[in-house]
């Protein structure tokens, strides 16, 4: 199933209404992985700090981010089936969570290094 399809939207609504997070994760896993790979390429400068492991972790972060917001995703404010871009924004925000951690760790590492005068 793809984002923007009525089939996926209705299945996510059913999983949300039943409180079935494992089913929602199963439904979201493949589309989140595919869209994440697309977004890594489209916004390569944004994700340039990511190692291969960071990218894998970011995809997991994006999935968890979406599951945490399942109510908003399954029951959006607008009527009908949301367009794919609606879901892409959630994935993009989830992927950026890893970036914030990488930048924070980089800054901490640089602050922990001893200061030497030239």
């Amino acid at each position: 199933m793809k984002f923007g399809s009525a089939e996926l939207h209705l299945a996510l609504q059913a999983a949300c209404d039943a409180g079935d997070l494992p089913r929602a994760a199963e439904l979201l896993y493949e589309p989140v992985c595919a869209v994440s790979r697309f977004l890594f390429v489209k916004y390569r400068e944004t994700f340039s700090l990511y190692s291969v492991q960071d990218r894998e972790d970011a995809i997991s972060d994006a999935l968890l981010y979406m599951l945490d917001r399942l109510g908003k995703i399954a029951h959006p404010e607008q009527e009908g089936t949301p367009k794919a871009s609606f879901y892409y924004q959630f994935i993009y925000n989830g992927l950026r969570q890893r970036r914030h951690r990488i930048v924070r760790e980089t800054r901490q590492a640089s602050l922990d290094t001893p200061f030497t005068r030239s």
Side-chain angles (χ1 to χ4, degrees):
M1 289 187 265
K2 292 185 174 188
F3 289 126
S5 71
E7 181 183 13
L8 177 59
H9 181 64
L10 293 173
L12 285 173
Q13 281 183 336
C16 179
D17 294 344
D20 190 354
L21 284 178
R23 176 66 181 143
E26 182 182 309
L27 291 166
L28 290 170
Y29 181 75
E30 292 290 328
V32 166
C33 288
V35 171
S36 295
R37 287 189 291 271
F38 167 76
L39 292 174
F40 285 142
V41 172
K42 183 174 181 177
Y43 299 106
R44 87 183 53 137
E45 189 172 308
T46 299
F47 300 112
S48 64
L49 297 173
Y50 287 37
S51 67
V52 173
Q53 182 63 44
D54 289 330
R55 286 176 186 242
E56 292 173 11
D57 291 343
I59 292 171
S60 296
D61 290 346
L63 181 59
L64 292 172
Y65 184 87
M66 291 189 78
L67 290 172
D68 191 43
R69 290 149 182 80
L70 185 59
K72 289 181 181 181
I73 292 169
H75 299 288
E77 292 179 14
Q78 71 272 15
E79 294 289 322
T81 302
K83 295 183 180 190
S85 60
F86 171 79
Y87 300 100
Y88 284 28
Q89 191 61 44
F90 283 97
I91 296 170
Y92 180 74
N93 289 336
L95 292 173
R96 287 183 48 94
Q97 298 300 311
R98 177 69 39 184
R99 185 174 191 279
H100 295 299
R101 288 186 201 120
I102 292 169
V103 169
R104 186 174 51 232
E105 289 170 4
T106 303
R107 286 185 183 153
Q108 285 177 344
S110 65
L111 292 174
D112 291 338
T113 55
F115 178 75
T116 58
R117 292 188 174 210
S118 304

